[in-house]
Amino acid sequence: MKAKTGRKPPLPYTASPLKLLGADILLVLKSLWCLPGILLPLTPGSPDDLDELYPSKENIGTIAAHGCLALCQTIFLLSVLGCFVFMVPALWILIYVVTFIWANRVICRLVFNNVDEVLESKVPIQERPEHERERWIFINGVGVGHHWLQNNIDRLAYTFGRKIVGVHNPTDGIVFDIIECLIQRTFTFATPDTRDGYAITKATLLSPKYEKVVLILHSQGGIEGSLIIDWLLDELPENVLRKLEVYTFGNAANHFNNPYKSLLGAGHPPARDSAISGPDAWVKADRSVLHIEHYANTFDFVCVWGVLQFASVPNRYLGRIFVRPGSGHQLNQHYLDAMFTLGPDRKVLESNEFMEMGAKTVAYEKLLPKHVRHERNEVLVTNKRPSHGYETSPAIQPGRQENQSDRRPLKVKDLSRLWQYRNGGSPVDG
């Protein structure tokens, strides 16, 4: 009799679409326990008017409209099931479904979605000369209309001291957006904004004007970004892909590819990658995209059926993963405010609770939502294994003799590459 091997792993993202769709629907239903984690903590008295839940007239109107749409969409889905139960003629069901979806789309266009597909940050930023060789692109997530997208890219501009281009993933209401997420993940369905994001990213990578392209993804934008990266991996040469860096927040994707594209010649042993153990350890150290980081909140509803679910599968969710013990899904209010806290001058403070937290590494299987465990003031980090959990502080100058007092437990800020971009800064490579 075979012993139990633990929790059954998720289906491969290349499995039968119908099986994937069924598994995804079941996964979302099982994750409903953390549904409040989309909005909590509310912090209605937030002093930052760029926050999604700041009590401004625009935000209150947006939240009220989303609430009404969510209620109507839920009733609509239940009524469609009722039509089948009571054997309503198929033609009437079709007319009902088409009419509701059309009306929903019209309402969302009037209330949330501007005709502009690509926006730019509007806040005054003093860019440095070297920033002219960079382009930063952002794709938003679930429930984001024109107003919240503009606030997102403005907040990112303040945070990183650069102009941000926002590719609008228009909302159809939270319930329909989640359904669209499952369709995108299951059928690798590319919406028009996914194709826009791909075209912009590819053209920027191929342009000799730019030496670095930074792609920031939030929520459903992570699904679109994973599809964009799959296409880029197929079409672009390695030297062009090396210009790309990817950073995600509250990622809803079910995979994030980043293979090794370079193979060393015969007779030359490959370098050992210290970030990987086991039979795949002897490989070339650099991957196609050199820098990918994922940031997740433990009780974020989207993360529970997104990154925290699928990162448990080896080689399926590539990139370093930072898990913050907390909830909330909104980009500005729950991620950037906690991880890149701004001061009164709209500059990122040099210290915050998240970046000062201790960092340790865990096995992929420990990231399954049911098994996520964290101690107070500790963040889980994957894909990197520092020696014995300690590493020399980056503040130590080259050539200076190291002693035991210079060694301390790693903090998140020591491992986060994105942190080094705050206030217009740049990482020191090489």
Side-chain angles (χ1 to χ4, degrees):
M1 190 174 183
K2 290 185 179 180
K4 291 184 179 180
T5 57
R7 183 168 178 165
K8 186 178 179 180
L11 291 170
Y13 69 92
T14 53
S16 162
L18 292 180
K19 290 183 178 179
L20 283 171
L21 183 59
D24 266 3
I25 292 173
L26 184 61
L27 177 60
V28 169
L29 293 176
K30 287 182 176 179
S31 304
L32 288 177
W33 62 270
C34 62
L35 184 61
I38 291 181
L39 296 177
L40 299 179
L42 292 174
T43 55
S46 171
D48 193 341
D49 59 0
L50 294 178
D51 285 353
E52 292 85 352
L53 305 182
Y54 179 83
S56 66
K57 180 178 66 175
E58 294 84 359
N59 285 345
I60 292 173
T62 297
I63 294 168
H66 269 306
C68 292
L69 272 180
L71 178 61
C72 293
Q73 291 170 357
T74 302
I75 294 173
F76 164 74
L77 294 175
L78 293 175
S79 67
V80 171
L81 291 177
C83 289
F84 284 104
V85 171
F86 292 103
M87 302 180 64
V88 175
L91 179 60
W92 290 108
I93 296 177
L94 179 62
I95 294 174
Y96 173 53
V97 170
V98 171
T99 302
F100 185 91
I101 292 177
W102 175 83
N104 185 89
R105 180 61 61 90
V106 170
I107 291 171
C108 288
R109 169 58 69 93
L110 295 175
V111 177
F112 301 118
N113 303 322
N114 191 279
V115 294
D116 294 334
E117 297 175 349
V118 179
L119 304 179
E120 291 188 358
S121 55
K122 296 180 178 179
V123 296
I125 296 296
Q126 293 183 348
E127 290 192 293
R128 301 178 183 180
E130 60 268 25
H131 296 168
E132 296 180 1
R133 307 290 293 173
E134 302 176 4
R135 196 178 197 193
W136 289 55
I137 303 168
F138 171 70
I139 302 179
N140 63 271
V142 168
V144 175
H146 176 270
H147 172 65
W148 278 358
L149 174 60
Q150 189 65 59
N151 283 355
N152 285 163
I153 58 179
D154 286 348
R155 177 60 162 83
L156 290 168
Y158 279 130
T159 302
F160 303 112
R162 292 153 167 95
K163 293 180 180 178
I164 309 293
V165 174
V167 179
H168 190 199
N169 164 29
T171 181
D172 288 317
I174 294 174
V175 175
F176 279 10
D177 282 355
I178 292 176
I179 293 174
E180 186 179 62
C181 284
L182 303 187
I183 293 173
Q184 285 179 311
R185 294 199 325 187
T186 299
F187 299 99
T188 59
F189 174 67
T191 53
D193 43 289
T194 305
R195 299 179 186 277
D196 290 340
Y198 166 71
I200 292 172
T201 304
K202 181 180 178 181
T204 307
L205 286 169
L206 291 173
S207 172
K209 176 182 177 181
Y210 299 105
E211 297 176 351
K212 180 181 295 186
V213 181
V214 178
L215 186 60
I216 300 179
L217 311 167
H218 175 231
S219 183
Q220 185 182 8
I223 299 176
E224 300 186 1
S226 71
L227 297 178
I228 289 171
I229 290 174
D230 288 345
W231 294 344
L232 295 175
L233 289 169
D234 285 340
E235 296 192 5
L236 297 185
E238 183 179 359
N239 64 314
V240 174
L241 284 170
R242 294 297 172 86
K243 297 163 67 173
L244 180 65
E245 298 184 15
V246 185
Y247 303 94
T248 80
F249 296 89
N251 200 332
N254 64 2
H255 73 281
F256 227 87
N257 286 324
N258 190 18
Y260 295 103
K261 295 192 72 172
S262 292
L263 297 177
L264 298 184
H268 297 279
R272 185 175 180 88
D273 185 350
S274 61
I276 301 176
S277 61
D280 296 327
W282 293 96
V283 292
K284 191 176 184 297
D286 290 339
R287 291 189 177 269
S288 301
V289 181
L290 293 181
H291 304 288
I292 298 178
E293 292 178 352
H294 308 282
Y295 295 81
N297 286 330
T298 310
F299 302 111
D300 177 350
F301 172 65
V302 176
C303 288
V304 169
W305 52 266
V307 56
L308 295 180
Q309 170 71 14
F310 297 101
S312 61
V313 183
N315 295 320
R316 178 157 169 174
Y317 230 96
L318 277 299
R320 187 174 290 172
I321 303 172
F322 297 89
V323 183
R324 173 181 169 268
S327 66
H329 181 66
Q330 307 308 312
L331 177 67
N332 291 3
Q333 184 150 332
H334 297 132
Y335 280 101
L336 297 180
D337 283 0
M339 299 177 179
F340 298 86
T341 310
L342 296 182
D345 59 352
R346 297 284 191 174
K347 299 289 185 181
V348 178
L349 300 178
E350 287 303 307
S351 178
N352 64 63
E353 183 180 0
F354 174 71
M355 287 297 168
E356 294 296 331
M357 287 180 178
K360 71 175 182 179
T361 58
V362 295
Y364 275 111
E365 59 269 18
K366 294 288 183 65
L367 281 177
L368 283 170
K370 190 175 181 180
H371 301 296
V372 169
R373 293 184 176 90
H374 57 268
E375 300 173 11
R376 190 177 183 86
N377 292 335
E378 193 164 51
V379 170
L380 312 181
V381 183
T382 66
N383 249 17
K384 187 73 175 175
R385 183 175 299 138
S387 173
H388 305 297
Y390 287 81
E391 189 171 272
T392 302
S393 169
I396 296 177
Q397 299 298 322
R400 173 183 163 187
Q401 187 175 2
E402 180 185 338
N403 55 53
Q404 194 62 32
S405 63
D406 293 326
R407 298 172 67 83
R408 59 168 173 77
L410 280 170
K411 296 181 178 181
V412 172
K413 65 182 181 181
D414 299 327
L415 296 175
S416 170
R417 179 178 176 86
L418 190 58
W419 175 248
Q420 299 179 57
Y421 283 111
R422 70 194 185 281
N423 298 328
S426 296
V428 179
D429 295 314

PDB file of all heavy atoms in Angstrom, residues 128-142:
ATOM      1  N   ARG A 128      16.801  61.603 -14.326  1.00  0.00           N
ATOM      2  CA  ARG A 128      18.239  61.713 -14.505  1.00  0.00           C
ATOM      3  C   ARG A 128      18.590  61.422 -15.968  1.00  0.00           C
ATOM      4  O   ARG A 128      17.834  60.764 -16.674  1.00  0.00           O
ATOM      5  CB  ARG A 128      18.940  60.733 -13.580  1.00  0.00           C
ATOM      6  CG  ARG A 128      18.612  60.974 -12.107  1.00  0.00           C
ATOM      7  CD  ARG A 128      19.273  59.959 -11.204  1.00  0.00           C
ATOM      8  NE  ARG A 128      18.878  60.165  -9.810  1.00  0.00           N
ATOM      9  CZ  ARG A 128      19.304  59.420  -8.801  1.00  0.00           C
ATOM     10  NH1 ARG A 128      20.143  58.413  -9.014  1.00  0.00           N
ATOM     11  NH2 ARG A 128      18.900  59.685  -7.565  1.00  0.00           N
ATOM     12  N   PRO A 129      19.730  61.902 -16.432  1.00  0.00           N
ATOM     13  CA  PRO A 129      20.094  61.686 -17.849  1.00  0.00           C
ATOM     14  C   PRO A 129      20.086  60.223 -18.259  1.00  0.00           C
ATOM     15  O   PRO A 129      19.671  59.890 -19.375  1.00  0.00           O
ATOM     16  CB  PRO A 129      21.513  62.281 -17.922  1.00  0.00           C
ATOM     17  CG  PRO A 129      21.544  63.307 -16.842  1.00  0.00           C
ATOM     18  CD  PRO A 129      20.704  62.748 -15.730  1.00  0.00           C
ATOM     19  N   GLU A 130      20.521  59.324 -17.358  1.00  0.00           N
ATOM     20  CA  GLU A 130      20.582  57.901 -17.707  1.00  0.00           C
ATOM     21  C   GLU A 130      19.202  57.273 -17.891  1.00  0.00           C
ATOM     22  O   GLU A 130      19.066  56.210 -18.500  1.00  0.00           O
ATOM     23  CB  GLU A 130      21.367  57.111 -16.655  1.00  0.00           C
ATOM     24  CG  GLU A 130      20.794  57.161 -15.246  1.00  0.00           C
ATOM     25  CD  GLU A 130      21.374  58.284 -14.404  1.00  0.00           C
ATOM     26  OE1 GLU A 130      21.822  59.284 -15.002  1.00  0.00           O
ATOM     27  OE2 GLU A 130      21.373  58.152 -13.165  1.00  0.00           O
ATOM     28  N   HIS A 131      18.168  57.952 -17.376  1.00  0.00           N
ATOM     29  CA  HIS A 131      16.816  57.409 -17.509  1.00  0.00           C
ATOM     30  C   HIS A 131      16.286  57.504 -18.942  1.00  0.00           C
ATOM     31  O   HIS A 131      15.315  56.830 -19.284  1.00  0.00           O
ATOM     32  CB  HIS A 131      15.856  58.141 -16.575  1.00  0.00           C
ATOM     33  CG  HIS A 131      16.164  57.950 -15.130  1.00  0.00           C
ATOM     34  ND1 HIS A 131      15.578  58.697 -14.133  1.00  0.00           N
ATOM     35  CD2 HIS A 131      17.005  57.079 -14.503  1.00  0.00           C
ATOM     36  CE1 HIS A 131      16.058  58.310 -12.954  1.00  0.00           C
ATOM     37  NE2 HIS A 131      16.912  57.335 -13.165  1.00  0.00           N
ATOM     38  N   GLU A 132      16.933  58.323 -19.769  1.00  0.00           N
ATOM     39  CA  GLU A 132      16.508  58.418 -21.163  1.00  0.00           C
ATOM     40  C   GLU A 132      16.727  57.112 -21.908  1.00  0.00           C
ATOM     41  O   GLU A 132      16.091  56.878 -22.951  1.00  0.00           O
ATOM     42  CB  GLU A 132      17.266  59.552 -21.868  1.00  0.00           C
ATOM     43  CG  GLU A 132      16.964  60.939 -21.305  1.00  0.00           C
ATOM     44  CD  GLU A 132      17.734  62.030 -22.015  1.00  0.00           C
ATOM     45  OE1 GLU A 132      18.496  61.678 -22.957  1.00  0.00           O
ATOM     46  OE2 GLU A 132      17.579  63.210 -21.651  1.00  0.00           O
ATOM     47  N   ARG A 133      17.594  56.247 -21.379  1.00  0.00           N
ATOM     48  CA  ARG A 133      17.877  54.957 -22.011  1.00  0.00           C
ATOM     49  C   ARG A 133      17.000  53.848 -21.449  1.00  0.00           C
ATOM     50  O   ARG A 133      17.195  52.678 -21.760  1.00  0.00           O
ATOM     51  CB  ARG A 133      19.350  54.592 -21.813  1.00  0.00           C
ATOM     52  CG  ARG A 133      20.329  55.671 -22.253  1.00  0.00           C
ATOM     53  CD  ARG A 133      20.343  55.822 -23.754  1.00  0.00           C
ATOM     54  NE  ARG A 133      20.873  54.654 -24.424  1.00  0.00           N
ATOM     55  CZ  ARG A 133      20.868  54.468 -25.734  1.00  0.00           C
ATOM     56  NH1 ARG A 133      20.302  55.362 -26.515  1.00  0.00           N
ATOM     57  NH2 ARG A 133      21.371  53.380 -26.269  1.00  0.00           N
ATOM     58  N   GLU A 134      16.011  54.222 -20.617  1.00  0.00           N
ATOM     59  CA  GLU A 134      15.115  53.237 -20.011  1.00  0.00           C
ATOM     60  C   GLU A 134      13.670  53.525 -20.420  1.00  0.00           C
ATOM     61  O   GLU A 134      13.306  54.662 -20.712  1.00  0.00           O
ATOM     62  CB  GLU A 134      15.195  53.289 -18.481  1.00  0.00           C
ATOM     63  CG  GLU A 134      16.564  53.047 -17.908  1.00  0.00           C
ATOM     64  CD  GLU A 134      16.572  53.200 -16.395  1.00  0.00           C
ATOM     65  OE1 GLU A 134      15.507  53.425 -15.794  1.00  0.00           O
ATOM     66  OE2 GLU A 134      17.672  53.092 -15.810  1.00  0.00           O
ATOM     67  N   ARG A 135      12.843  52.482 -20.401  1.00  0.00           N
ATOM     68  CA  ARG A 135      11.401  52.662 -20.556  1.00  0.00           C
ATOM     69  C   ARG A 135      10.698  51.744 -19.575  1.00  0.00           C
ATOM     70  O   ARG A 135      10.976  50.546 -19.514  1.00  0.00           O
ATOM     71  CB  ARG A 135      10.951  52.359 -21.979  1.00  0.00           C
ATOM     72  CG  ARG A 135       9.538  52.920 -22.257  1.00  0.00           C
ATOM     73  CD  ARG A 135       9.083  52.670 -23.667  1.00  0.00           C
ATOM     74  NE  ARG A 135       7.960  53.543 -24.012  1.00  0.00           N
ATOM     75  CZ  ARG A 135       7.198  53.374 -25.084  1.00  0.00           C
ATOM     76  NH1 ARG A 135       7.448  52.397 -25.929  1.00  0.00           N
ATOM     77  NH2 ARG A 135       6.197  54.202 -25.325  1.00  0.00           N
ATOM     78  N   TRP A 136       9.782  52.318 -18.807  1.00  0.00           N
ATOM     79  CA  TRP A 136       9.040  51.579 -17.793  1.00  0.00           C
ATOM     80  C   TRP A 136       7.588  51.440 -18.248  1.00  0.00           C
ATOM     81  O   TRP A 136       6.921  52.435 -18.555  1.00  0.00           O
ATOM     82  CB  TRP A 136       9.109  52.311 -16.452  1.00  0.00           C
ATOM     83  CG  TRP A 136      10.476  52.236 -15.820  1.00  0.00           C
ATOM     84  CD1 TRP A 136      11.657  52.612 -16.378  1.00  0.00           C
ATOM     85  CD2 TRP A 136      10.784  51.748 -14.513  1.00  0.00           C
ATOM     86  NE1 TRP A 136      12.695  52.394 -15.505  1.00  0.00           N
ATOM     87  CE2 TRP A 136      12.182  51.865 -14.350  1.00  0.00           C
ATOM     88  CE3 TRP A 136      10.020  51.240 -13.473  1.00  0.00           C
ATOM     89  CZ2 TRP A 136      12.832  51.479 -13.178  1.00  0.00           C
ATOM     90  CZ3 TRP A 136      10.659  50.859 -12.299  1.00  0.00           C
ATOM     91  CH2 TRP A 136      12.043  50.973 -12.168  1.00  0.00           C
ATOM     92  N   ILE A 137       7.099  50.208 -18.284  1.00  0.00           N
ATOM     93  CA  ILE A 137       5.760  49.886 -18.781  1.00  0.00           C
ATOM     94  C   ILE A 137       4.977  49.181 -17.685  1.00  0.00           C
ATOM     95  O   ILE A 137       5.506  48.282 -17.015  1.00  0.00           O
ATOM     96  CB  ILE A 137       5.855  48.987 -20.035  1.00  0.00           C
ATOM     97  CG1 ILE A 137       6.693  49.664 -21.122  1.00  0.00           C
ATOM     98  CG2 ILE A 137       4.464  48.635 -20.559  1.00  0.00           C
ATOM     99  CD1 ILE A 137       7.078  48.751 -22.259  1.00  0.00           C
ATOM    100  N   PHE A 138       3.727  49.566 -17.516  1.00  0.00           N
ATOM    101  CA  PHE A 138       2.878  48.980 -16.474  1.00  0.00           C
ATOM    102  C   PHE A 138       1.587  48.459 -17.080  1.00  0.00           C
ATOM    103  O   PHE A 138       0.972  49.103 -17.943  1.00  0.00           O
ATOM    104  CB  PHE A 138       2.542  50.039 -15.415  1.00  0.00           C
ATOM    105  CG  PHE A 138       1.504  49.597 -14.416  1.00  0.00           C
ATOM    106  CD1 PHE A 138       1.784  48.633 -13.463  1.00  0.00           C
ATOM    107  CD2 PHE A 138       0.221  50.143 -14.444  1.00  0.00           C
ATOM    108  CE1 PHE A 138       0.820  48.228 -12.543  1.00  0.00           C
ATOM    109  CE2 PHE A 138      -0.744  49.752 -13.531  1.00  0.00           C
ATOM    110  CZ  PHE A 138      -0.440  48.786 -12.587  1.00  0.00           C
ATOM    111  N   ILE A 139       1.160  47.251 -16.650  1.00  0.00           N
ATOM    112  CA  ILE A 139      -0.137  46.688 -17.035  1.00  0.00           C
ATOM    113  C   ILE A 139      -0.919  46.439 -15.753  1.00  0.00           C
ATOM    114  O   ILE A 139      -0.456  45.740 -14.847  1.00  0.00           O
ATOM    115  CB  ILE A 139       0.017  45.381 -17.829  1.00  0.00           C
ATOM    116  CG1 ILE A 139       0.866  45.609 -19.080  1.00  0.00           C
ATOM    117  CG2 ILE A 139      -1.364  44.843 -18.229  1.00  0.00           C
ATOM    118  CD1 ILE A 139       1.099  44.360 -19.906  1.00  0.00           C
ATOM    119  N   ASN A 140      -2.132  47.007 -15.676  1.00  0.00           N
ATOM    120  CA  ASN A 140      -2.920  46.969 -14.445  1.00  0.00           C
ATOM    121  C   ASN A 140      -3.678  45.648 -14.307  1.00  0.00           C
ATOM    122  O   ASN A 140      -3.676  44.794 -15.194  1.00  0.00           O
ATOM    123  CB  ASN A 140      -3.903  48.135 -14.417  1.00  0.00           C
ATOM    124  CG  ASN A 140      -4.929  48.062 -15.538  1.00  0.00           C
ATOM    125  OD1 ASN A 140      -4.674  48.582 -16.627  1.00  0.00           O
ATOM    126  ND2 ASN A 140      -6.077  47.432 -15.302  1.00  0.00           N
ATOM    127  N   GLY A 141      -4.375  45.525 -13.194  1.00  0.00           N
ATOM    128  CA  GLY A 141      -5.071  44.293 -12.870  1.00  0.00           C
ATOM    129  C   GLY A 141      -6.579  44.428 -12.850  1.00  0.00           C
ATOM    130  O   GLY A 141      -7.175  45.300 -13.494  1.00  0.00           O
ATOM    131  N   VAL A 142      -7.196  43.582 -12.042  1.00  0.00           N
ATOM    132  CA  VAL A 142      -8.652  43.457 -11.950  1.00  0.00           C
ATOM    133  C   VAL A 142      -9.289  44.743 -11.427  1.00  0.00           C
ATOM    134  O   VAL A 142      -8.773  45.384 -10.506  1.00  0.00           O
ATOM    135  CB  VAL A 142      -9.006  42.284 -11.014  1.00  0.00           C
ATOM    136  CG1 VAL A 142     -10.481  42.286 -10.649  1.00  0.00           C
ATOM    137  CG2 VAL A 142      -8.617  40.962 -11.663  1.00  0.00           C
TER     138      VAL A 142
END
